[in-house]
Structure formats: C-alpha cells, structure tokens
Amino acid sequence: MSSYSVTVGEESVRARSLQEAQGIVMEYVTDLLARDPEAASQGALMANKAFSAGTVDQALNSQGSWQTVITVQGEQVNISIAKRRWWR
C-alpha cells in the first residue's frame, strides 16, 4: 500500500490516496489562482490536465514522483507529489 507526500512551495502534506493528493494540489492551485489569476492560469490548467489525462498517475507509477511549477506574482512555486510506502 502507498501513501503520497504532496509538497507545494515549502509546505508538505501526506495523503493516503492519489485522489486525496489531487484534492490537496487543487486546493493549493485554487489559492495560487486567487493571488495571481493571470500568471497562474496556465500552470493551473496544465496541472488539471495532468491529473485528468492520467499523466500524474503514470509518472508516479514509473518514476515515483510528479512535479510542476506555477508562477505567481513573479515567483515560481514548485508543486510535487512523491509516492511513499505506507508502513503500518
């Protein structure tokens, strides 16, 4: 069984499922869009497409991680998901 480490900028959160990780990423992306809609819109669209097209799932299964960058107010915000072993 796996869990996921979601990192946005300097903040990291653990998710139990890929669906939960996606929700966390989209919550952060929504916040980034609220701060700078014009600059963040392209990165937000690309992140959304990556989830809907299965690119995130494929990257996690083949490489163990997925990442993207969204620019907000001239600063790059790194977003990543890493697949982790879930030890009981």
Side-chain angles (χ1 to χ4, degrees):
M1 189 177 229
S2 297
S3 67
Y4 301 87
S5 175
V6 180
T7 304
V8 179
E10 300 294 318
E11 195 168 336
S12 292
V13 180
R14 192 171 195 172
R16 293 179 186 247
S17 67
L18 181 55
Q19 186 174 26
E20 184 180 349
Q22 179 179 357
I24 292 166
V25 168
M26 289 303 135
E27 186 176 319
Y28 278 105
V29 168
T30 300
D31 180 58
L32 296 175
L33 280 167
R35 292 191 312 188
D36 191 351
E38 196 170 316
S41 63
Q42 184 177 2
L45 180 61
M46 289 175 60
N48 190 38
K49 283 184 179 180
F51 279 105
S52 63
T55 306
V56 174
D57 189 37
Q58 184 179 23
L60 289 168
N61 288 326
S62 65
Q63 301 169 10
S65 65
W66 170 83
Q67 63 183 13
T68 192
V69 176
I70 296 179
T71 302
V72 178
Q73 297 172 341
E75 300 283 326
Q76 291 188 333
V77 178
N78 293 314
I79 299 173
S80 65
I81 301 174
K83 194 172 192 177
R84 304 281 185 232
R85 288 303 246 175
W86 185 265
W87 303 105
R88 291 181 180 222

